[in-house]
Amino acid sequence: IAVWQTPKYIMKLAMKRMTINQFKHTELTKAGQDQIVLTSPDIIYSASAFDISKKPIQISLVIPENDTYWSISFFDEKTVNFF
């Protein structure tokens, strides 16, 4: 039961801390400052909760010319990756 319920509980806590339809970005991590286990020191992690119950949302990115790599993933409330 714990294995089944833990992701749901963690996501509920995370969703309460997030601003709806607005990204929160982390700083680059430094040795010993990881908030997430095994974070990459060259990645800025971002999170947001989305409410699409009333209308769809559009996400736009402004990518500087010197950036060479971007990755984006979306997870549902059960932590299942859907994009």
Side-chain angles (χ1 to χ4, degrees):
I1 292 173
V3 171
W4 180 56
Q5 290 293 329
T6 298
K8 190 177 193 178
Y9 175 75
I10 291 170
M11 285 304 290
K12 278 187 179 183
L13 288 176
M15 297 282 275
K16 286 180 182 180
R17 295 178 182 176
M18 291 186 206
T19 304
I20 303 298
N21 296 339
Q22 184 176 3
F23 278 101
K24 180 179 178 184
H25 309 288
T26 65
E27 299 290 328
L28 291 174
T29 58
K30 295 180 178 93
Q33 295 180 336
D34 294 21
Q35 292 181 354
I36 303 169
V37 177
L38 299 176
T39 55
S40 177
D42 60 346
I43 293 178
I44 295 174
Y45 294 88
S46 302
S48 181
F50 295 104
D51 180 2
I52 57 171
S53 62
K54 296 184 177 120
K55 64 179 182 175
I57 61 168
Q58 179 178 351
I59 299 172
S60 301
L61 301 172
V62 177
I63 302 172
E65 289 183 29
N66 60 345
D67 281 1
T68 59
Y69 178 81
W70 277 80
S71 176
I72 190 166
S73 300
F74 292 93
F75 299 87
D76 67 11
E77 70 279 357
K78 296 178 184 174
T79 70
V80 176
N81 179 273
F82 65 88
F83 179 81

